[in-house]
Amino acid sequence: MTTSLPRQDRIRRALELLRNETTDKFEEIIAFEPDEFTDPVLAKEERDYIFGRVPSIVAHSSELAKAHDFMTVQMPRNNLIVVRQKDGSVRSFVNLCRHRGAMLEEREKGRCRIFSCGYHRWSYDPDGKLRTITRDSTFGDIDRSEHGLIEIPTEERHGFIWVVDNAKAQIDVADWLGPEIDGILSEYRLEDSVCFRAAGFDEPTNWKIMQDAFLDGYHIQYAHPNTAGKIIHTNVMAFEDFGRHCRFIAPRKSIDRFLEEDPGDANLDKYVTETHFLLPNSTLLRQPDHFQLLTFRPHPSDPTKSRMEQRLIVPTVENSGMPPEKWDRLWNKNWEILLAVLHNEDFPLLRHSQVGMGSADAGDMLLGRNEIANQVFRRETKKLVAQGRADNS
């Protein structure tokens, strides 16, 4: 496996793998059981010991561009309101009135200076403080400072908004990422980009099946013969394993011009796609001129369901050098292509996979040595669950 090499050297490493018709590989083939995708007990452990303990991305910073911008997020353990504060910071709260438990905000996003409950019209400031108790002269005395919204640990870093889905937890994104990945994300300066579009899809598929599909360079030729299969080489990955996280370069077919000739000092960035897996549930794709972020979250109770969110992260109009009309047309076209591949090719396969996993006699499954990012994903999620079990034993 390649590690700690400059980007151009890693691209040349991928080119060498392509010439030799091989890929970087894991140590061994691993067997797994289909109930890893259907077991409700394991699913609860994953919600608590993974999402309730470690940071995961919920948005790009540009989606909450101004003070009082908010979005609502269904996390595995909590419904959240994520809101930009007056001082520019971002905070998250459980989307629940502290009076009788009604949901405060049903909209997916918006701007709001006061969050008000539709049941009895109690209201809260964007910083979570209890602002109004209607007809308080008859309600009785309470300590309002003790009945604000429940806050969830939140941090903004590298142009993303991260949360740990547990009010009792703490958050330190740099520590979680580790020095290698934290440094890599810092170099990308994604805070200077914008989220052109974001969309979420609720699918009848376990979140790990979904995440696995977007770490897999082995299926491209077969599942996407007329789309990605025409652009990206199958089963060629120059890989870096950072422990919790990993990244790999996959050569595009446009690099084939260099199969028989030495590229010399040519910059090869445009000839590859680089994938970053950010444990526990994010795939960040670095394309030649933009990024895509794919996130996968478990359903709050059903192991056979999940939510996938897709974000297209692009240079601002000003930084792109394009006229606004061309900029908008380019990224709209990219977005429509991404949606078509998801809905026409990926999602049907993954839904059927989940159905198959439910068979009583499905038998053992296998991850090959070539399915290296999938191996890292499984290795690290199992570590988190094992640590959670040990801490609670």
Side-chain angles (χ1 to χ4, degrees), residues 296-314:
F296 310 90
R297 290 195 290 269
H299 186 272
S301 60
D302 189 338
T304 68
K305 295 180 180 179
S306 63
R307 182 171 180 82
M308 181 259 195
E309 292 181 353
Q310 172 178 275
R311 288 175 165 83
L312 188 61
I313 301 168
V314 306

Side-chain angles (χ1 to χ4, degrees), residues 53-125:
R53 292 191 170 202
V54 308
S56 61
I57 298 171
V58 296
H60 186 263
S61 297
S62 65
E63 295 177 76
L64 301 177
K66 298 178 181 178
H68 307 136
D69 284 354
F70 75 88
M71 61 191 303
T72 55
V73 181
Q74 173 66 74
M75 291 296 288
R77 302 179 79 252
N78 292 290
N79 290 291
L80 302 184
I81 300 174
V82 185
V83 57
R84 177 77 66 183
Q85 302 295 301
K86 189 175 181 180
D87 66 2
S89 65
V90 178
R91 298 172 71 178
S92 300
F93 305 95
V94 177
N95 187 5
L96 183 82
C97 179
R98 297 295 305 284
H99 171 214
R100 295 270 292 278
M103 185 173 285
L104 280 178
E105 186 56 68
E106 297 181 5
R107 291 175 293 172
E108 290 186 5
K109 60 183 178 179
R111 178 178 287 183
C112 192
R113 294 179 180 270
I114 299 173
F115 294 106
S116 183
C117 170
Y119 198 178
H120 300 92
R121 204 56 70 188
W122 283 33
S123 65
Y124 302 83
D125 289 325

Side-chain angles (χ1 to χ4, degrees), residues 198-219:
F201 312 102
D202 295 309
E203 284 293 307
T205 310
N206 183 277
W207 73 283
K208 298 193 298 288
I209 289 178
M210 296 285 282
Q211 176 67 85
D212 267 330
F214 296 91
L215 297 175
D216 179 354
Y218 186 24
H219 76 291

